Amino acid sequence: METVYAWLSHYGYPALFLLLMFGIVGIPVPDETLLTFCGYLIWKHTMHPAGTFLTAFAGSATGITVSYLIGRGYGHRVIYGYGRYIGLTAERLARVHAWFDRAGPWLLTFGYFIPGVRHFTAIVAGTTELGWRTFAGYAYAGAAVWVAFFLGLGYLVGENWQRAFALFHRYTLEASAVGAVLLVGWWIIRRRKK
């Protein structure tokens, strides 16, 4: 994390843009921590609120767009070339496509808040050939809400940003685990009914 702070201190807004872009694509960058820290820097009057929000939004939107384009360009090739080794058939891909048509757009919006999910939803959206306008509407709205939330959190708690973020992160992980268990339970019940 010290390297991230050093980059941000030295390069400012361009570093924020690049770190968030690469973090959304999947390179290990502590995105939420970075945004919360930037909120704290806004509180200290070191960074400008509008400039920080616009830069962070642009980095996040660019990153999720790159992931979508990777899925769109290479997803089918990878699945058809290597999917059989992990049991991914054309029939299963069709089911994923149908499911993503129903729930995927909302996952693009709220997946930003679920650790690990935001890195894959755009690739899946591209692979299932979700339309560009649908993708952009949901993904960019999610980016705006996610960026605003963590910048706001850092701004509101000021010097206590690290403690507040640790509490938020802890409860987010617990809520995600409960959500995953409920989702698996729902899936098992549905399979048994069929």
Side-chain angles (χ1 to χ4, degrees), residues 7-43:
W7 269 46
L8 194 58
S9 298
H10 192 265
Y11 299 108
Y13 295 109
L16 177 60
F17 175 86
L18 290 173
L19 286 166
L20 285 174
M21 181 187 77
F22 289 128
I24 297 295
V25 169
I27 293 174
V29 172
D31 303 319
E32 288 97 347
T33 308
L34 175 63
L35 287 170
T36 307
F37 178 66
C38 287
Y40 162 68
L41 292 178
I42 292 169
W43 178 80

Short mmCIF file of all heavy atoms in Angstrom, two decimals, residues 7-43:
data_model
loop_
_atom_site.label_atom_id
_atom_site.label_comp_id
_atom_site.label_asym_id
_atom_site.label_seq_id
_atom_site.Cartn_x
_atom_site.Cartn_y
_atom_site.Cartn_z
N TRP A 7 2.94 6.67 -5.25
CA TRP A 7 2.55 7.01 -6.62
C TRP A 7 1.56 8.16 -6.61
O TRP A 7 1.68 9.09 -7.39
CB TRP A 7 1.89 5.79 -7.26
CG TRP A 7 2.81 4.89 -8.01
CD1 TRP A 7 4.02 4.43 -7.58
CD2 TRP A 7 2.59 4.35 -9.29
NE1 TRP A 7 4.56 3.62 -8.52
CE2 TRP A 7 3.69 3.54 -9.59
CE3 TRP A 7 1.55 4.44 -10.20
CZ2 TRP A 7 3.80 2.84 -10.77
CZ3 TRP A 7 1.66 3.74 -11.39
CH2 TRP A 7 2.76 2.95 -11.67
N LEU A 8 0.58 8.06 -5.73
CA LEU A 8 -0.45 9.09 -5.66
C LEU A 8 0.15 10.42 -5.25
O LEU A 8 -0.20 11.47 -5.80
CB LEU A 8 -1.54 8.66 -4.68
CG LEU A 8 -2.84 9.44 -4.72
CD1 LEU A 8 -3.47 9.38 -6.10
CD2 LEU A 8 -3.80 8.90 -3.69
N SER A 9 1.06 10.41 -4.28
CA SER A 9 1.69 11.64 -3.81
C SER A 9 2.56 12.26 -4.90
O SER A 9 2.61 13.49 -5.06
CB SER A 9 2.56 11.37 -2.58
OG SER A 9 1.76 10.89 -1.54
N HIS A 10 3.23 11.42 -5.67
CA HIS A 10 4.18 11.93 -6.66
C HIS A 10 3.50 12.31 -7.98
O HIS A 10 3.82 13.35 -8.56
CB HIS A 10 5.26 10.88 -6.92
CG HIS A 10 6.42 11.41 -7.69
ND1 HIS A 10 6.51 11.29 -9.06
CD2 HIS A 10 7.53 12.09 -7.29
CE1 HIS A 10 7.63 11.84 -9.47
NE2 HIS A 10 8.27 12.34 -8.43
N TYR A 11 2.56 11.48 -8.46
CA TYR A 11 1.97 11.71 -9.78
C TYR A 11 0.54 12.25 -9.76
O TYR A 11 0.01 12.64 -10.79
CB TYR A 11 2.01 10.42 -10.61
CG TYR A 11 3.42 9.92 -10.85
CD1 TYR A 11 3.89 8.80 -10.20
CD2 TYR A 11 4.26 10.59 -11.72
CE1 TYR A 11 5.18 8.33 -10.41
CE2 TYR A 11 5.56 10.15 -11.94
CZ TYR A 11 6.01 9.02 -11.28
OH TYR A 11 7.29 8.58 -11.50
N GLY A 12 -0.10 12.24 -8.60
CA GLY A 12 -1.42 12.84 -8.45
C GLY A 12 -2.52 12.17 -9.26
O GLY A 12 -2.68 10.96 -9.26
N TYR A 13 -3.27 13.00 -10.00
CA TYR A 13 -4.45 12.51 -10.72
C TYR A 13 -4.13 11.45 -11.78
O TYR A 13 -4.88 10.48 -11.90
CB TYR A 13 -5.21 13.69 -11.35
CG TYR A 13 -5.79 14.62 -10.31
CD1 TYR A 13 -5.26 15.88 -10.12
CD2 TYR A 13 -6.86 14.22 -9.51
CE1 TYR A 13 -5.79 16.74 -9.16
CE2 TYR A 13 -7.39 15.07 -8.55
CZ TYR A 13 -6.84 16.33 -8.38
OH TYR A 13 -7.37 17.17 -7.43
N PRO A 14 -3.05 11.58 -12.56
CA PRO A 14 -2.75 10.51 -13.53
C PRO A 14 -2.53 9.16 -12.84
O PRO A 14 -2.94 8.13 -13.35
CB PRO A 14 -1.48 11.00 -14.23
CG PRO A 14 -1.54 12.49 -14.13
CD PRO A 14 -2.17 12.75 -12.78
N ALA A 15 -1.88 9.18 -11.67
CA ALA A 15 -1.67 7.92 -10.93
C ALA A 15 -3.00 7.35 -10.47
O ALA A 15 -3.23 6.14 -10.56
CB ALA A 15 -0.75 8.16 -9.73
N LEU A 16 -3.90 8.20 -9.99
CA LEU A 16 -5.22 7.74 -9.57
C LEU A 16 -5.95 7.08 -10.73
O LEU A 16 -6.52 6.00 -10.60
CB LEU A 16 -6.03 8.92 -9.02
CG LEU A 16 -7.48 8.63 -8.60
CD1 LEU A 16 -7.53 7.59 -7.50
CD2 LEU A 16 -8.16 9.92 -8.16
N PHE A 17 -5.93 7.72 -11.89
CA PHE A 17 -6.58 7.17 -13.08
C PHE A 17 -6.02 5.79 -13.42
O PHE A 17 -6.76 4.82 -13.59
CB PHE A 17 -6.40 8.12 -14.27
CG PHE A 17 -6.94 7.57 -15.56
CD1 PHE A 17 -8.27 7.74 -15.90
CD2 PHE A 17 -6.11 6.86 -16.42
CE1 PHE A 17 -8.77 7.22 -17.09
CE2 PHE A 17 -6.60 6.33 -17.61
CZ PHE A 17 -7.94 6.52 -17.94
N LEU A 18 -4.69 5.69 -13.53
CA LEU A 18 -4.06 4.44 -13.94
C LEU A 18 -4.24 3.34 -12.90
O LEU A 18 -4.52 2.18 -13.26
CB LEU A 18 -2.57 4.66 -14.20
CG LEU A 18 -2.24 5.47 -15.46
CD1 LEU A 18 -0.75 5.77 -15.53
CD2 LEU A 18 -2.70 4.73 -16.71
N LEU A 19 -4.11 3.68 -11.62
CA LEU A 19 -4.27 2.67 -10.58
C LEU A 19 -5.68 2.08 -10.59
O LEU A 19 -5.86 0.86 -10.49
CB LEU A 19 -3.94 3.25 -9.21
CG LEU A 19 -2.45 3.49 -8.93
CD1 LEU A 19 -2.28 4.39 -7.71
CD2 LEU A 19 -1.72 2.17 -8.75
N LEU A 20 -6.68 2.93 -10.73
CA LEU A 20 -8.05 2.42 -10.75
C LEU A 20 -8.34 1.66 -12.04
O LEU A 20 -9.01 0.63 -12.02
CB LEU A 20 -9.05 3.56 -10.56
CG LEU A 20 -9.14 4.06 -9.12
CD1 LEU A 20 -10.03 5.29 -9.03
CD2 LEU A 20 -9.64 2.97 -8.18
N MET A 21 -7.83 2.13 -13.15
CA MET A 21 -8.04 1.42 -14.41
C MET A 21 -7.46 0.00 -14.32
O MET A 21 -8.14 -0.99 -14.60
CB MET A 21 -7.40 2.16 -15.57
CG MET A 21 -7.62 1.47 -16.91
SD MET A 21 -6.71 2.23 -18.27
CE MET A 21 -5.06 1.62 -17.95
N PHE A 22 -6.21 -0.11 -13.88
CA PHE A 22 -5.58 -1.43 -13.78
C PHE A 22 -6.22 -2.28 -12.68
O PHE A 22 -6.33 -3.49 -12.81
CB PHE A 22 -4.07 -1.30 -13.56
CG PHE A 22 -3.33 -0.81 -14.77
CD1 PHE A 22 -2.47 0.26 -14.68
CD2 PHE A 22 -3.51 -1.42 -16.01
CE1 PHE A 22 -1.79 0.72 -15.81
CE2 PHE A 22 -2.83 -0.97 -17.13
CZ PHE A 22 -1.97 0.09 -17.03
N GLY A 23 -6.65 -1.62 -11.60
CA GLY A 23 -7.31 -2.36 -10.52
C GLY A 23 -8.62 -2.99 -10.97
O GLY A 23 -8.92 -4.13 -10.61
N ILE A 24 -9.40 -2.27 -11.77
CA ILE A 24 -10.67 -2.81 -12.26
C ILE A 24 -10.41 -3.93 -13.26
O ILE A 24 -11.14 -4.92 -13.30
CB ILE A 24 -11.53 -1.69 -12.90
CG1 ILE A 24 -11.91 -0.65 -11.86
CG2 ILE A 24 -12.78 -2.27 -13.56
CD1 ILE A 24 -12.80 -1.14 -10.74
N VAL A 25 -9.36 -3.81 -14.07
CA VAL A 25 -9.03 -4.86 -15.03
C VAL A 25 -8.64 -6.14 -14.29
O VAL A 25 -8.88 -7.24 -14.77
CB VAL A 25 -7.93 -4.40 -16.00
CG1 VAL A 25 -7.38 -5.55 -16.82
CG2 VAL A 25 -8.46 -3.31 -16.91
N GLY A 26 -8.08 -6.03 -13.10
CA GLY A 26 -7.75 -7.23 -12.33
C GLY A 26 -6.37 -7.25 -11.72
O GLY A 26 -6.02 -8.18 -11.00
N ILE A 27 -5.55 -6.24 -11.97
CA ILE A 27 -4.24 -6.16 -11.33
C ILE A 27 -4.47 -5.83 -9.86
O ILE A 27 -5.31 -4.99 -9.54
CB ILE A 27 -3.35 -5.12 -12.03
CG1 ILE A 27 -3.05 -5.64 -13.44
CG2 ILE A 27 -2.08 -4.85 -11.25
CD1 ILE A 27 -2.31 -4.69 -14.31
N PRO A 28 -3.77 -6.50 -8.94
CA PRO A 28 -4.06 -6.27 -7.52
C PRO A 28 -3.71 -4.86 -7.04
O PRO A 28 -2.57 -4.55 -6.73
CB PRO A 28 -3.22 -7.33 -6.80
CG PRO A 28 -2.20 -7.79 -7.78
CD PRO A 28 -2.74 -7.51 -9.15
N VAL A 29 -4.72 -4.02 -7.02
CA VAL A 29 -4.62 -2.65 -6.50
C VAL A 29 -5.72 -2.53 -5.45
O VAL A 29 -6.85 -2.93 -5.70
CB VAL A 29 -4.85 -1.61 -7.63
CG1 VAL A 29 -4.93 -0.21 -7.06
CG2 VAL A 29 -3.75 -1.70 -8.68
N PRO A 30 -5.41 -2.00 -4.27
CA PRO A 30 -6.45 -1.85 -3.23
C PRO A 30 -7.39 -0.68 -3.56
O PRO A 30 -7.27 0.41 -3.01
CB PRO A 30 -5.62 -1.58 -1.97
CG PRO A 30 -4.36 -0.95 -2.46
CD PRO A 30 -4.09 -1.55 -3.81
N ASP A 31 -8.32 -0.94 -4.48
CA ASP A 31 -9.17 0.12 -5.03
C ASP A 31 -9.94 0.91 -3.98
O ASP A 31 -9.91 2.13 -3.97
CB ASP A 31 -10.18 -0.48 -6.03
CG ASP A 31 -9.52 -1.24 -7.15
OD1 ASP A 31 -8.50 -0.77 -7.66
OD2 ASP A 31 -10.04 -2.30 -7.52
N GLU A 32 -10.67 0.20 -3.12
CA GLU A 32 -11.49 0.89 -2.13
C GLU A 32 -10.64 1.69 -1.15
O GLU A 32 -10.99 2.79 -0.76
CB GLU A 32 -12.37 -0.09 -1.35
CG GLU A 32 -13.51 -0.67 -2.16
CD GLU A 32 -13.17 -2.03 -2.74
OE1 GLU A 32 -11.98 -2.41 -2.71
OE2 GLU A 32 -14.08 -2.71 -3.22
N THR A 33 -9.51 1.10 -0.76
CA THR A 33 -8.60 1.81 0.15
C THR A 33 -8.08 3.08 -0.52
O THR A 33 -8.01 4.14 0.10
CB THR A 33 -7.42 0.90 0.55
OG1 THR A 33 -7.93 -0.33 1.04
CG2 THR A 33 -6.55 1.54 1.60
N LEU A 34 -7.72 2.96 -1.78
CA LEU A 34 -7.23 4.10 -2.54
C LEU A 34 -8.27 5.22 -2.60
O LEU A 34 -7.97 6.38 -2.35
CB LEU A 34 -6.84 3.65 -3.95
CG LEU A 34 -6.42 4.73 -4.94
CD1 LEU A 34 -5.16 5.44 -4.46
CD2 LEU A 34 -6.19 4.12 -6.32
N LEU A 35 -9.51 4.84 -2.90
CA LEU A 35 -10.58 5.85 -2.98
C LEU A 35 -10.85 6.49 -1.61
O LEU A 35 -11.06 7.69 -1.52
CB LEU A 35 -11.85 5.22 -3.54
CG LEU A 35 -11.83 4.91 -5.03
CD1 LEU A 35 -13.04 4.08 -5.42
CD2 LEU A 35 -11.77 6.19 -5.85
N THR A 36 -10.86 5.67 -0.57
CA THR A 36 -11.11 6.20 0.77
C THR A 36 -9.98 7.16 1.17
O THR A 36 -10.24 8.23 1.75
CB THR A 36 -11.24 5.06 1.79
OG1 THR A 36 -12.22 4.13 1.32
CG2 THR A 36 -11.66 5.57 3.15
N PHE A 37 -8.75 6.79 0.83
CA PHE A 37 -7.61 7.67 1.10
C PHE A 37 -7.74 8.98 0.32
O PHE A 37 -7.47 10.06 0.85
CB PHE A 37 -6.31 6.95 0.73
CG PHE A 37 -5.08 7.78 0.92
CD1 PHE A 37 -4.69 8.20 2.19
CD2 PHE A 37 -4.31 8.17 -0.16
CE1 PHE A 37 -3.54 8.97 2.38
CE2 PHE A 37 -3.17 8.94 0.01
CZ PHE A 37 -2.79 9.34 1.28
N CYS A 38 -8.20 8.90 -0.92
CA CYS A 38 -8.41 10.13 -1.71
C CYS A 38 -9.50 11.00 -1.10
O CYS A 38 -9.40 12.23 -1.11
CB CYS A 38 -8.75 9.78 -3.16
SG CYS A 38 -7.33 9.17 -4.09
N GLY A 39 -10.54 10.37 -0.54
CA GLY A 39 -11.56 11.13 0.18
C GLY A 39 -10.96 11.87 1.36
O GLY A 39 -11.31 13.03 1.64
N TYR A 40 -10.05 11.20 2.05
CA TYR A 40 -9.34 11.84 3.16
C TYR A 40 -8.50 13.02 2.65
O TYR A 40 -8.46 14.09 3.28
CB TYR A 40 -8.47 10.80 3.87
CG TYR A 40 -7.39 11.37 4.74
CD1 TYR A 40 -7.70 12.07 5.91
CD2 TYR A 40 -6.05 11.22 4.41
CE1 TYR A 40 -6.70 12.59 6.73
CE2 TYR A 40 -5.05 11.73 5.21
CZ TYR A 40 -5.38 12.43 6.36
OH TYR A 40 -4.39 12.95 7.16
N LEU A 41 -7.85 12.85 1.49
CA LEU A 41 -7.05 13.93 0.92
C LEU A 41 -7.94 15.11 0.50
O LEU A 41 -7.51 16.27 0.57
CB LEU A 41 -6.23 13.43 -0.27
CG LEU A 41 -5.12 12.44 0.08
CD1 LEU A 41 -4.40 11.97 -1.18
CD2 LEU A 41 -4.12 13.02 1.07
N ILE A 42 -9.17 14.82 0.08
CA ILE A 42 -10.12 15.90 -0.20
C ILE A 42 -10.45 16.63 1.11
O ILE A 42 -10.49 17.87 1.15
CB ILE A 42 -11.41 15.35 -0.86
CG1 ILE A 42 -11.10 14.82 -2.26
CG2 ILE A 42 -12.50 16.41 -0.92
CD1 ILE A 42 -12.24 14.02 -2.89
N TRP A 43 -10.66 15.88 2.16
CA TRP A 43 -10.94 16.45 3.49
C TRP A 43 -9.80 17.38 3.93
O TRP A 43 -10.03 18.43 4.52
CB TRP A 43 -11.15 15.32 4.49
CG TRP A 43 -11.40 15.75 5.88
CD1 TRP A 43 -12.57 16.21 6.42
CD2 TRP A 43 -10.45 15.74 6.96
NE1 TRP A 43 -12.41 16.49 7.74
CE2 TRP A 43 -11.11 16.22 8.11
CE3 TRP A 43 -9.10 15.38 7.07
CZ2 TRP A 43 -10.49 16.33 9.35
CZ3 TRP A 43 -8.48 15.49 8.29
CH2 TRP A 43 -9.18 15.96 9.41
#
